Amino acid sequence: MSPKPLYLPPDGRPRCAWCAAAPGDADYLRYHDEEWGRPVADDFRLFEKLCLEGFQSGLSWRTILNKREAFRAAFKGFDYHQVAAFTEQDVNRLLADPGIVRHRGKIEAAVHNAGRCLALVAETGSLAAYLWRFEPPKNSVAHNLSQSAPSEALSKDLKQRGWKFVGPTTMHALMQAMGLINDHQPGCHHWAEAQKARDAFQRPR
């Protein structure tokens, strides 16, 4: 599959093709430039991304990004200790929150996964340490994929642990966003910056 042409915004700096989905959206471009593909070791940010990727299913990332601050407020900063303690009353509160995606199955999955996250962290030490075990060898994953062998392995393991909304495509998107791979397109202005960040990153153990 041939890569899509790079997106060239008015600043003249070429970006990954997916940036063209929201031309003129400064927040969307900032997310690409400053977050996407940069390695993350913070458990709350990783749990947030796991949840938001689930909420994105059937929607665009732009929709989720525009609602991210509302999601953070609704889910207590994605502190999985607090989310795991959510009750049916909390689920109903979230279903009434117009700032987020009001989908009962996805909301209940996020609460359920918070409980699974507590068990995982008790076993492995941190969510970051667990997820980074699935980092593929350098340059072993081709660009322009929707899923990969590492994302399939991660998805399978999480499902065996009882997690929900963690299919291989969703997990590949998480790996791209959280810097487990550098999937900025060759020629993207931010490929080198993301790679530099990955090279300097201390993998969690």
Side-chain angles (χ1 to χ4, degrees):
M1 183 183 296
S2 300
K4 296 179 180 179
L6 291 163
Y7 171 61
L8 190 64
D11 67 7
R13 296 177 177 178
R15 305 317 204 276
C16 296
W18 58 265
C19 293
D25 187 327
D27 289 337
Y28 197 70
L29 204 62
R30 188 178 303 112
Y31 171 75
H32 166 273
D33 293 355
E34 300 177 5
E35 292 188 49
W36 194 79
R38 308 300 175 94
V40 173
D42 179 87
D43 273 10
F44 292 170
R45 281 192 61 197
L46 291 166
F47 182 68
E48 172 186 280
K49 189 62 174 173
L50 278 160
C51 292
L52 293 184
E53 287 293 346
F55 276 102
Q56 186 192 346
S57 179
L59 302 170
S60 71
W61 176 245
R62 185 183 189 187
T63 296
I64 301 301
L65 186 62
N66 288 342
K67 294 176 177 287
R68 185 166 64 169
E69 290 306 319
F71 270 112
R72 287 171 171 171
F75 282 91
K76 310 296 183 183
F78 289 95
D79 178 342
Y80 50 82
H81 305 91
Q82 295 189 60
V83 177
F86 278 12
T87 64
E88 184 64 23
Q89 183 176 0
D90 289 297
V91 172
N92 290 332
R93 168 180 61 82
L94 293 167
L95 285 168
D97 188 340
I100 68 169
V101 174
R102 293 180 285 182
H103 183 290
R104 177 178 287 275
K106 294 177 181 180
I107 290 170
E108 291 179 343
V111 176
H112 169 83
N113 287 347
R116 295 294 82 219
C117 190
L118 287 174
L120 186 150
V121 170
E123 175 189 338
T124 65
S126 71
L127 179 58
Y130 167 79
L131 289 175
W132 278 91
R133 293 177 186 174
F134 293 87
E135 178 187 13
K138 189 174 181 179
N139 299 324
S140 65
V141 174
H143 288 278
N144 207 31
L145 300 177
S146 61
Q147 62 185 65
S148 58
S151 77
E152 291 168 2
L154 173 57
S155 172
K156 181 179 179 180
D157 194 72
L158 285 173
K159 287 178 180 178
Q160 289 175 342
R161 294 171 180 272
W163 290 61
K164 299 178 179 179
F165 282 92
V166 289
T169 299
T170 299
M171 291 302 95
H172 189 71
L174 173 123
M175 297 174 84
Q176 292 171 309
M178 298 287 98
L180 278 78
I181 56 177
N182 180 3
D183 213 26
H184 283 276
Q185 286 179 241
C188 172
H189 182 74
H190 290 274
W191 183 93
E193 293 181 13
Q195 191 59 45
K196 183 178 179 180
R198 277 182 42 80
D199 290 343
F201 181 65
Q202 189 71 34
R203 272 64 175 168
R205 303 296 181 192

